[in-house]
Amino acid sequence: MTGELDGRVVAVTGGGRGIGREIARQLLAAGARVAIGDIDGDVARGTADEFGERASGFDLDVTSTPSFEAFLSAVEAQWGPLDVLVNNAGVMWVGPFDEEPESAITRQLAVNLHGVIRGVRLVAPGMRSRRRGHIVTIASAASRLSPPGESTYAATKHAVLGYLTGVRAELRGSGVHLSVIMPAVVDTELAAGTATGAAKLLEPGDVARAVVAVLHKPRFEVTIPSYIGPLTRLVTAFPQFVRDAVMRKMVPDQVSATDKSARAAYESRSVADENDTGPA
């Protein structure tokens, strides 16, 4: 797909690996110019080098306002004002709530929630003044669901959806679009060792295609698979015991199902190290 995206300036956070990398690849194929921001700047630049001249890689720590400002300034200096921001950077710790390290809680809030808020606050005012722009945030089906073992992660994603719902109301009529992509479990390092529940395991390309599609035809909420959104709304009409039974069928219990050994390297790097946001 090309057309509306030809020559558009797009920034992708956490774009060096996983979902972010695939989003960047598909946006380039759609004709955009893509700035890949990542906590590991060498990975971001290496990915951009692989993708060609319409891609550039930059250092970006979404937990730091100066870093985010420097990233956006560098992108604008190279290509001009930003047309699209894809908030993709995210981290996840999995396990019993009472065993979750304080550092993991702090890190998830800083990256998953405050990183998104920071990006919106830095980018949306300029888009509003130009009366055009689109901010796409990669959230999670955990914005609507709360799997056991992912309580803090789900809290950050619920909060992201709530925040963007309010900002969207403030931006109504401004020409700035907001979209929230909420996929089930995606086959990336972030989800290593976890279970998928009733939904099939998604690929990064599934999420990237949703991003390209929503840029062509803006929508606020996009769930992958698409049935998740209507089903979660329907279930809320049932009595609590029915809701609980349905959710136990749909949503995996990550406390009992997760292989922590398969997650050890990822969690050590992404939620224990204060210098790494990791890929979404």
Side-chain angles (χ1 to χ4, degrees):
M1 295 170 69
T2 55
E4 298 99 322
L5 296 182
D6 282 346
R8 292 299 178 94
V9 179
V10 183
V12 181
T13 73
R17 303 180 177 92
I19 293 172
R21 175 188 172 94
E22 183 61 18
I23 290 171
R25 190 189 70 78
Q26 291 201 25
L27 287 170
L28 286 161
R33 292 175 288 178
V34 181
I36 299 168
D38 201 280
I39 191 69
D40 189 332
D42 290 338
V43 169
R45 286 180 283 275
T47 298
D49 288 344
E50 288 181 43
F51 288 163
E53 63 182 15
R54 284 188 291 107
S56 288
F58 302 87
D59 292 273
L60 170 61
D61 178 358
V62 299
T63 71
S64 163
T65 297
S67 177
F68 218 136
E69 288 176 332
F71 168 64
L72 295 172
S73 295
V75 175
E76 184 164 351
Q78 180 167 333
W79 285 324
L82 196 66
D83 296 299
V84 177
L85 171 65
V86 181
N87 285 313
N88 169 73
V91 295
M92 182 172 72
W93 185 90
V94 177
F97 75 91
D98 52 350
E99 295 179 12
E100 187 172 19
E102 186 75 23
S103 61
I105 297 169
T106 300
R107 192 67 178 158
Q108 289 172 94
L109 290 167
V111 176
N112 301 356
L113 176 56
H114 199 178
V116 169
I117 293 173
R118 181 174 286 109
V120 171
R121 284 170 54 85
L122 290 175
V123 166
M127 290 180 171
R128 180 168 54 190
S129 69
R130 295 188 294 274
R131 298 199 62 78
R132 63 181 176 84
H134 201 145
I135 299 172
V136 180
T137 298
I138 310 304
S140 169
S143 299
R144 293 289 187 191
L145 308 169
S146 296
E150 296 180 12
S151 297
T152 298
Y153 178 78
T156 66
K157 298 303 183 177
H158 275 66
V160 161
L161 180 58
Y163 176 77
L164 294 174
T165 299
V167 173
R168 177 174 177 260
E170 293 188 46
L171 292 175
R172 186 172 291 115
S174 69
V176 181
H177 297 285
L178 296 184
S179 297
V180 187
I181 311 295
M182 296 177 278
V185 180
V186 184
D187 188 11
T188 65
E189 190 182 14
L190 179 145
T194 63
T196 64
K200 71 173 185 177
L201 182 65
L202 301 172
E203 296 297 328
D206 298 320
V207 182
R209 281 188 290 275
V211 172
V212 174
V214 86
L215 291 175
H216 281 277
K217 187 177 181 180
R219 293 172 52 196
F220 179 52
E221 293 188 26
V222 178
T223 56
I224 313 172
S226 59
Y227 67 76
I228 290 178
L231 183 57
T232 54
R233 292 185 181 92
L234 177 63
V235 168
T236 60
F238 298 154
Q240 186 66 56
F241 76 92
V242 177
R243 273 183 271 172
D244 290 345
V246 172
M247 290 304 175
R248 281 194 293 271
K249 291 288 187 182
M250 287 180 56
V251 179
D253 181 342
Q254 302 292 17
V255 174
S256 60
T258 295
D259 178 358
K260 287 294 286 185
S261 65
R263 296 188 55 75
Y266 165 76
E267 290 187 356
S268 175
R269 176 173 59 80
S270 65
V271 293
D273 182 350
E274 290 297 315
N275 296 310
D276 191 355
T277 60

